[in-house]
Amino acid sequence: MRDLPPAPLPGGGPPLANLVALGDSGGGDAALPQLFCLHSLHGRATQWAQLAAGMRGHAEVLGLEHPLLRSGAAADERPASLAQLAARHAGTLVQASGLTRPHLVGESFGAALAHKTATMAAALGARPRLLAMVEP
């Protein structure tokens, strides 16, 4: 699996370690909706690359990957539960989207993670417009 580049934050902020750009959105149009694709159990968001290619020009497609894949965090910083992992992703989502109404999608384990992340993001003020949960 290849590493994907971190996605820059709107307004030129520094990239977040676990947020990756999954494709060219077609010109960086700020009016495009954001689609956040959550990782499956393996921790990478690369399984969404084909979806990102198909969404070019229709959405900015970003992947949320497991924080330990990129951040260099120590093992004792590992999320101990789905809720802790979702809380980290919700924080990243709010930083990346502001308080817009993002779209979320997750597959298999990522579906459960997307659901919990959406709930927590809504509590932080970024209520998702769409939550898609895919089961293989």
Side-chain angles (χ1 to χ4, degrees), residues 13 25 36 38 46 58 60 62 91 100-101 110 112 117 119:
S25 64
F36 292 88
L38 282 92
T46 52
H58 300 284
E60 178 184 13
L62 303 162
T100 63
R101 302 219 28 226
T117 300
T119 301

Side-chain angles (χ1 to χ4, degrees), residues 73-98:
D76 61 341
E77 296 179 47
R78 183 172 294 141
S81 67
L82 177 71
Q84 287 181 358
L85 183 56
R88 286 190 187 188
H89 285 329
T92 299
L93 189 144
V94 169
Q95 280 186 278
S97 70

Side-chain angles (χ1 to χ4, degrees), residues 2 8 16 25 32 45 50 55 58 62 68 79 103 112 120 122:
R2 66 181 175 88
L16 298 170
S25 64
L32 290 176
Q50 190 172 6
M55 296 296 293
H58 300 284
L62 303 162
L68 293 184
H103 300 77
M120 293 182 165

